[in-house]
Amino acid sequence: AVLGVEFKDGVLTKDGQPLRGVIADKIISLHKDGLPIDPLVKFYENLNANPSKRAVEELYPFLEHKGLPITDDGHFLAYKRVKENFTDCYSGKIDNSIGKVVEVPRNLVDDDAKRGCSVGLHCGSIEYVRAFNPGLPVVIVKVNPKDVVSVPYEDHRKIRCCRYEVLSEYDRDMVNSMPDVLHDDVGNPYNVLDDDDYWDDW
């Protein structure tokens, strides 16, 4: 079990302090079902090291909605489209080879969630990578929630962060087998564009 975590009278505490919010509710639900809670507790701790109140509030609902997995150490996995030489699609200067840790100064990443297209390191859901530059490689990246800078409102398929680790290449055939037209939760089609402006990495 995670050190310092206790359940008492239906209240979840960490080091004696009550944990509240959507993540705490999920941890309590998992505990009641007899399922492991350690990864989510570690995720909660990492997330609360994030200096952005908005990122803290918006990241977990985004991950849960998009089905992006949380790792044993409380990080999460996401997808990123890259060029054939594994550099970023926007500038062609950032090396996203397997095993690389990519990092930029946090204060250079746009933290305005109202801007969907802006500067920063981007990654997101499988729908996100499917929508742009089809045929190019897709990598799986690991992100610490403390390094997430914003969850753009305009495009609910991606996040901007200041650091991630490139773990592996994702099967291109699985990506390319997805339909050309993707739909949101209420059935409206997304625009599937080949638009490099959406990839404002350095």
Side-chain angles (χ1 to χ4, degrees):
V2 177
L3 187 64
V5 173
E6 295 181 341
F7 292 89
K8 186 175 182 180
D9 299 326
V11 176
L12 175 68
T13 64
K14 175 74 169 71
D15 299 327
Q17 297 299 314
L19 304 184
R20 297 185 175 88
V22 63
I23 302 178
D25 291 344
K26 183 66 173 182
I27 293 171
I28 292 171
S29 175
L30 291 174
H31 177 71
K32 287 179 178 177
D33 291 339
L35 298 173
I37 64 168
D38 291 16
L40 198 52
V41 172
K42 291 174 183 176
F43 175 89
Y44 184 96
E45 292 177 325
N46 290 331
L47 182 62
N48 279 279
N50 191 313
S52 168
K53 180 177 184 295
R54 179 175 290 158
V56 169
E57 292 174 348
E58 297 177 353
L59 178 59
Y60 181 73
F62 169 82
L63 299 180
E64 191 170 57
H65 175 60
K66 293 302 178 185
L68 296 176
I70 293 173
T71 60
D72 288 344
D73 56 359
H75 296 195
F76 66 92
L77 304 182
Y79 303 93
K80 182 175 184 67
R81 181 81 74 176
V82 294
K83 292 183 176 181
E84 290 287 356
N85 63 358
F86 286 84
T87 59
D88 67 285
C89 289
Y90 182 70
S91 72
K93 297 178 180 179
I94 296 179
D95 186 359
N96 288 278
S97 299
I98 309 307
K100 287 287 185 179
V101 173
V102 179
E103 185 170 10
V104 298
R106 185 183 181 102
N107 63 2
L108 295 184
V109 180
D110 191 348
D111 62 356
D112 188 348
K114 295 189 294 293
R115 283 197 285 266
C117 234
S118 193
V119 292
L121 300 176
H122 292 80
C123 56
S125 66
I126 196 66
E127 295 96 335
Y128 173 55
V129 295
R130 179 61 181 86
F132 305 103
N133 295 311
L136 291 180
V138 171
V139 293
I140 298 174
V141 299
K142 180 180 177 181
V143 186
N144 190 321
K146 73 177 183 179
D147 295 323
V148 172
V149 178
S150 62
V151 182
Y153 300 148
E154 180 182 296
D155 188 343
H156 298 293
R157 298 169 289 176
K158 67 181 179 183
I159 56 104
R160 282 193 291 271
C161 62
C162 61
R163 187 180 189 275
Y164 58 73
E165 178 185 359
V166 184
L167 295 186
S168 63
E169 183 176 0
Y170 190 64
D171 189 324
R172 294 192 213 186
D173 290 337
M174 292 181 69
V175 176
N176 296 333
S177 67
M178 294 180 66
D180 289 334
V181 178
L182 303 171
H183 295 80
D184 62 20
D185 289 342
V186 295
N188 296 317
Y190 288 121
N191 290 323
V192 180
L193 305 173
D194 185 8
D195 183 354
D196 282 351
D197 287 344
Y198 262 76
W199 298 83
D200 288 344
D201 295 314
W202 296 282

